[in-house]
Amino acid sequence: MTTRTETVTVADGEFALNVWTPEGGGGPGILLIQEIYGVGPYIRAVAEDLAALGYVVAAPDLFWRVHPGWASSHDEDGLKRSLGVASRFDAGKGLDDLAASLDRLRGLPETRGPVGLLGFCLGGTLAYALGARVDDVAAVVSFYGSGVPDQLDLLDEIDCPLLFHFGGSDPYIPRAKVAQVERAVEGRANVEFHVQEDAGHAFHNRKAPMFHNPGAAERAWRLTEDFLARTLPTG
């Protein structure tokens, strides 16, 4: 695969869009939306995983207005500093930036066919919200988005296939909140919902020993690969 950095221009400035292209040279696109640690080692590793599956992956620098190029360590100190940066993040402007990034992803010469959204933590909430805002994405994957339970009205705005992942032992998203989402999606043909009951928050983050749950991460990623193969096929 190859990597490069594009620039996205919006009304109040410009920011980096990190791009990974598969060995085949092109394919469907996935907008990969960061967690609070920024576009750091973990998000880059996930981008490589997705590119290896045949996707053109684009990960925007969401915190560019607060701290351009933010990428912190995946430990207690990095968590504290990342929470400080995230506290100054404007989610409304962030959604505008994501919409602009999605347009740029679609316009890349390597992007062939439809595009999807995939996000973790903060990005899991934003992928869900962006999926409700735009009507031309093929799939949305949301990993443990803490803002999802309080925005269940957006479900009616999402027609494409939607995959939710949550941890059943997540201290940041109480199990009762996860159950609210589970009840809200019941009977919706376009929604798939999975809880890894033994997992806490950010259980997929293999760069963060304080959060990573290898078994839950493997199960959730296997489900994600299957979901993407059906809803955003590369072949």
Side-chain angles (χ1 to χ4, degrees), residues 34-40 61 63-64 66-73 77-86:
Q34 67 177 68
E35 44 176 22
I36 64 172
Y37 294 111
V39 184
D61 176 17
F63 290 163
W64 67 275
V66 179
H67 194 301
W70 177 254
S72 71
S73 56
D77 180 64
L79 175 61
K80 180 179 179 180
R81 292 187 293 116
S82 293
L83 287 169
V85 173

Side-chain angles (χ1 to χ4, degrees), residues 163-167 178 192-196 203 220 223-224 230:
L163 173 62
F164 284 119
H165 289 295
F166 288 97
V178 175
E192 298 182 29
F193 181 90
H194 298 282
V195 179
Q196 303 299 327
F203 64 79
L223 290 164
T224 300
R230 288 183 282 110

Side-chain angles (χ1 to χ4, degrees), residues 45-234:
V46 172
E48 291 176 359
D49 292 343
L50 292 168
L53 294 175
Y55 296 102
V56 177
V57 184
D61 176 17
L62 277 184
F63 290 163
W64 67 275
R65 292 184 180 86
V66 179
H67 194 301
W70 177 254
S72 71
S73 56
H74 290 67
D75 53 20
E76 291 284 0
D77 180 64
L79 175 61
K80 180 179 179 180
R81 292 187 293 116
S82 293
L83 287 169
V85 173
S87 70
R88 293 182 283 154
F89 171 67
D90 185 317
K93 289 183 177 179
L95 279 173
D96 291 340
D97 293 342
L98 288 172
S101 300
L102 189 63
D103 286 342
R104 186 59 177 273
L105 171 60
R106 286 196 184 94
L108 295 178
E110 299 92 345
T111 302
R112 303 166 187 165
V115 297
L117 312 173
L118 193 156
F120 297 90
C121 305
L122 169 67
T125 298
L126 294 173
Y128 170 66
L130 185 63
R133 174 171 169 169
V134 298
D135 58 5
D136 51 355
V137 294
V140 176
V141 181
S142 172
F143 273 81
Y144 30 76
S146 60
V148 170
D150 296 324
Q151 301 181 66
L152 294 177
D153 56 308
L154 297 183
L155 285 169
D156 291 334
E157 306 300 321
I158 302 177
D159 296 323
C160 72
L162 169 61
L163 173 62
F164 284 119
H165 289 295
F166 288 97
S169 303
D170 188 334
Y172 300 98
I173 313 174
R175 188 62 178 84
K177 286 281 192 179
V178 175
Q180 289 178 7
V181 182
E182 189 170 16
R183 289 192 295 270
V185 304
E186 187 175 358
R188 292 179 183 265
N190 67 311
V191 181
E192 298 182 29
F193 181 90
H194 298 282
V195 179
Q196 303 299 327
E197 295 292 355
D198 60 332
H201 197 66
F203 64 79
H204 186 262
N205 189 336
R206 61 185 183 268
K207 302 295 184 179
M210 62 188 292
F211 293 122
H212 188 217
N213 182 315
E218 181 181 358
R219 293 190 297 271
W221 193 250
R222 193 181 310 121
L223 290 164
T224 300
E225 287 186 350
D226 175 71
F227 175 81
L228 291 173
R230 288 183 282 110
T231 61
L232 196 64
T234 59

